[in-house]
Amino acid sequence: MQNAIRDLRAARGWSQVHLAALLDVSRQTVSAIETGRSDPSLPLAFALARLFGQPIETIFFPAQETA
C-alpha cells in the first residue's frame, strides 16, 4: 500500500520523531509506514487521518500495478 504520510508530515514541518510522539509510536514505525515496509493497524490509520484532517482514502491507496 502506498501513502501520502511523508508529504503530509513535511508540509507541516514535522519530523518523524514529532509525528511518532503525536501518535505514541516509535520513529521506526513512522519510517516503516512512510516507506511502505509496513502497513499501519486500522486504529493507527484512523489516528493518522484524524491528525492530518483527511479521509483515510486520501492518505492510503493501493500500489500502482505495472502492466
Side-chain angles (χ1 to χ4, degrees):
M1 178 177 344
Q2 294 179 327
N3 65 73
I5 295 172
R6 181 176 294 165
D7 294 335
L8 291 166
R9 177 180 59 76
R12 287 160 177 76
W14 296 348
S15 67
Q16 286 182 343
V17 171
H18 181 71
L19 179 56
L22 292 173
L23 296 168
D24 197 26
V25 299
S26 70
R27 185 210 52 85
Q28 291 83 358
T29 297
V30 171
S31 177
I33 294 169
E34 282 186 354
T35 59
R37 290 190 320 266
S38 177
D39 291 331
S41 65
L42 192 54
L44 183 53
F46 275 106
L48 284 159
R50 277 191 305 275
L51 186 63
F52 290 123
Q54 306 245 348
I56 288 177
E57 308 82 51
T58 64
I59 298 174
F60 300 97
F61 40 91
Q64 296 282 342
E65 291 187 24
T66 56

